[in-house]
Amino acid sequence: MRIIADLHLHSRYSRATSQQMSIEEIARFAKIKGLNLVGTGDFTHPKWLKEIQETLVSEPEKHLYRVGGQHDSPVRFMLTTEVCTIFNYENECKKVHHVILTPTLEIAAQINEALQNHGDLSADGRPILNMTAAQLVEMVMETSTENMIFPAHAWTPWFSIFGAFSGFDSIEECYQDTTRHIHALETGLSSDPPMNWRLSKLDTIALVSNSDCHSFWPWRIGREANVFELEKFSYDEVVDAIQTNDPKRFKFTIETDPAYGKYHWTGHRACNVSLSPREAQKFGNICPVCRRKLTKGVEQRVEELSDRPIDFKRNNVQGFKHLLPLSEIIATVLGTDSPSTQAVWKIYNRLIEKFGDEYSVIIDASEAALTEAAEASIANAIIRVREGSVNVIPGYDGVYGRLVLDQKPDNSTKQHRPQRVQQSNLSDFWK
């Protein structure tokens, strides 16, 4: 069975998140996107956990959940949350985010009970915990060996395991003697598998991709996702496919082009300065305008830690495919800065009505069929994004990258571009 899963998102109890992010709305947008498995997010928040308990119905044999009364819905939920640990290591303050997966509400409640003495779980959907990363892993795994934990958005400069400002240089440094429990790493929007392949020390780690959706726009669910082919649709099967890093079951990840991420390049937002790793190094990582320290981008941080060349390609690993959200492709064609306009959604809804869900539109639909449902310019843009024949001006210092359709691709802005996987549609991954 094919499973398309986004296992890291947030509820309306996380700051800067849409109030529409209720269980029912998450299920609705997941179906529109083409997901059939989503994380609940935020089960550590007491009010959200109560809503989960009241809204979702357990499927005990699967350790998954569905919305009560929606027997025909294809969408299932997995209990997930993200937490932030802040602690001192060798006289430096470290700030690392982690994703936790758990099979049952009973175990989720036990995790919350164990964590409540380390931070205020009701303060935010993504709570801050005063404990080390190793202590967190030990506590989570002692609660149940069925739990899974892995570093979130591993390269984000400010709050991640490899973050330039408060992270580590290796998984072992971060998790110490609990490293044996770390089987996966979330690449985040600003990096993709080829960038992570450059670190040989990550060869045994599964690379997962999730939306980390905590936006005012709930349709950003599924902008990154994981695709599995499993005999049984269950928590245990999904977790085992990730832990064993089995490319026969964990087939591929759906990735935004990493240049689209908010921290891909080094820069300084206040001065509109955006620099490639090489350019940033020439300036000594100091803003050439105001002379303050630049926010080091993910591409530069990968360059610092890598022990392999840019064009290194791993064999016998799951594939990946670069995409961008359909609403943002349409907005670019229409020349609007916001994908939330009525003009964008009129075209979006027309395409969803014809093809069933967003993944079918942006991955599978032919250009001829797309042109019948929308303008030729929209169809052409979707095909170009699918094939990688577009430019993305890299994001930096909290500013998203920008899709550019009126220029030919400039490979110099994306050093990992030659490693792009060339599958044309989903069916290619099942051959």
Side-chain angles (χ1 to χ4, degrees):
M1 181 177 182
R2 184 181 305 180
I3 313 298
I4 306 181
D6 181 357
L7 301 177
H8 178 191
L9 48 85
H10 292 278
S11 74
R12 63 178 179 273
Y13 292 101
S14 283
R15 61 175 58 93
T17 302
S18 170
Q19 288 302 300
Q20 294 183 57
M21 290 291 271
S22 65
I23 289 291
E24 292 88 352
E25 285 296 283
I26 292 172
R28 184 169 77 88
F29 279 105
K31 184 177 179 181
I32 292 170
K33 181 68 70 167
L35 297 160
N36 54 359
L37 179 61
V38 288
T40 60
D42 300 354
F43 73 66
T44 43
H45 195 283
K47 290 184 178 179
W48 184 241
L49 182 62
K50 184 180 180 187
E51 288 191 30
I52 292 171
Q53 293 168 332
E54 293 174 346
T55 309
L56 293 181
V57 175
S58 172
E59 296 181 332
E61 73 282 1
K62 297 180 180 179
H63 285 161
L64 297 175
Y65 295 78
R66 61 174 175 80
V67 178
Q70 296 186 9
H71 300 283
D72 297 330
S73 173
V75 178
R76 296 295 180 267
F77 283 81
M78 180 184 291
L79 297 169
T80 67
T81 196
E82 180 187 11
V83 300
C84 171
T85 54
I86 299 181
F87 57 100
N88 287 321
Y89 176 82
E90 296 185 352
N91 297 319
E92 291 185 351
C93 181
K94 301 296 185 180
K95 302 175 182 179
V96 184
H97 287 193
H98 319 259
V99 176
I100 302 171
L101 315 180
T102 195
T104 70
L105 284 165
E106 291 75 18
I107 298 174
Q110 291 169 18
I111 292 173
N112 291 358
E113 185 177 358
L115 297 181
Q116 64 184 355
N117 294 326
H118 298 272
D120 183 359
L121 301 187
S122 64
D124 189 69
R126 182 182 58 201
I128 295 174
L129 304 174
N130 296 309
M131 61 194 309
T132 69
Q135 287 173 328
L136 173 67
V137 173
E138 184 176 17
M139 193 168 290
V140 168
M141 298 311 296
E142 281 183 349
T143 303
S144 173
T145 57
E146 295 179 280
N147 294 330
M148 186 176 189
I149 183 169
F150 53 84
H153 42 74
W155 296 94
T156 302
W158 304 102
F159 295 96
S160 70
I161 186 171
F162 296 139
F165 293 113
S166 58
F168 295 85
D169 289 347
S170 71
I171 291 176
E172 290 77 14
E173 274 187 306
C174 179
Y175 290 107
Q176 301 291 310
D177 59 354
T178 65
T179 300
R180 66 188 185 280
H181 296 300
I182 305 302
H183 302 286
L185 174 149
E186 185 179 71
T187 57
L189 295 185
S190 294
S191 87
D192 64 0
M195 295 173 70
N196 288 268
W197 294 343
R198 295 188 62 196
L199 281 71
S200 61
K201 56 191 174 187
L202 298 182
D203 283 357
T204 61
I205 300 294
L207 302 176
V208 299
S209 295
N210 302 293
S211 70
D212 188 14
C213 180
H214 53 89
S215 168
F216 289 108
W217 297 336
W219 57 84
R220 279 185 165 161
I221 289 172
R223 59 186 172 180
E224 295 203 326
N226 311 278
V227 183
F228 304 91
E229 181 70 14
L230 304 175
E231 291 185 5
K232 183 180 179 182
F233 190 177
S234 72
Y235 172 91
D236 294 340
E237 284 280 314
V238 171
V239 167
D240 188 66
I242 296 173
Q243 289 181 338
T244 58
N245 205 9
D246 179 5
K248 293 181 180 179
R249 294 184 296 157
F250 186 1
K251 303 295 289 187
F252 65 99
T253 54
I254 294 171
E255 310 273 340
T256 62
D257 189 308
Y260 183 75
K262 294 193 293 185
Y263 295 100
H264 186 67
W265 265 12
T266 298
H268 187 197
R269 175 172 46 184
C271 295
N272 295 317
V273 171
S274 172
L275 301 170
S276 70
R278 185 175 299 177
E279 291 170 329
Q281 289 163 3
K282 286 180 180 178
F283 287 106
N285 292 316
I286 298 298
C287 177
V289 176
C290 70
R291 310 306 299 169
R292 294 182 179 179
K293 191 174 183 180
L294 295 167
T295 299
K296 187 178 294 182
V298 168
E299 191 168 277
Q300 184 175 347
R301 181 63 172 150
V302 169
E303 190 68 35
E304 289 178 351
L305 297 186
S306 65
D307 58 349
R308 287 168 170 162
I310 290 171
D311 59 353
F312 181 83
K313 175 111 171 38
R314 284 192 61 193
N315 296 318
N316 197 34
V317 292
Q318 68 265 24
F320 68 95
K321 189 164 187 65
H322 286 144
L323 297 170
L324 288 173
L326 176 59
S327 58
E328 300 187 30
I329 297 172
I330 298 170
T332 300
V333 175
L334 297 183
T336 176
D337 292 332
S338 174
S340 62
T341 65
Q342 289 185 358
V344 169
W345 285 96
K346 182 179 179 180
I347 298 171
Y348 183 97
N349 290 333
R350 192 190 313 154
L351 288 166
I352 298 303
E353 183 177 355
K354 179 174 178 61
F355 297 102
D357 59 66
E358 182 172 330
Y359 290 142
S360 296
V361 174
I362 59 178
I363 299 177
D364 285 328
S366 69
E367 185 168 7
L370 289 168
T371 303
E372 288 181 4
E375 293 82 355
S377 58
I378 300 291
N380 178 259
I382 292 169
I383 296 300
R384 288 180 60 192
V385 169
R386 182 188 301 172
E387 294 177 347
S389 59
V390 294
N391 266 339
V392 177
I393 297 175
Y396 67 98
D397 195 18
V399 178
Y400 275 111
R402 183 163 57 88
L403 174 63
V404 179
L405 294 170
D406 57 359
Q407 299 175 11
K408 292 183 179 180
D410 179 7
N411 289 341
S412 67
T413 66
K414 298 176 188 177
Q415 299 180 33
H416 55 280
R417 177 70 79 187
Q419 300 165 49
R420 175 181 291 278
V421 172
Q422 297 295 335
Q423 284 90 342
S424 61
N425 54 53
L426 281 176
S427 62
D428 286 343
F429 286 97
W430 312 106
K431 291 179 180 177

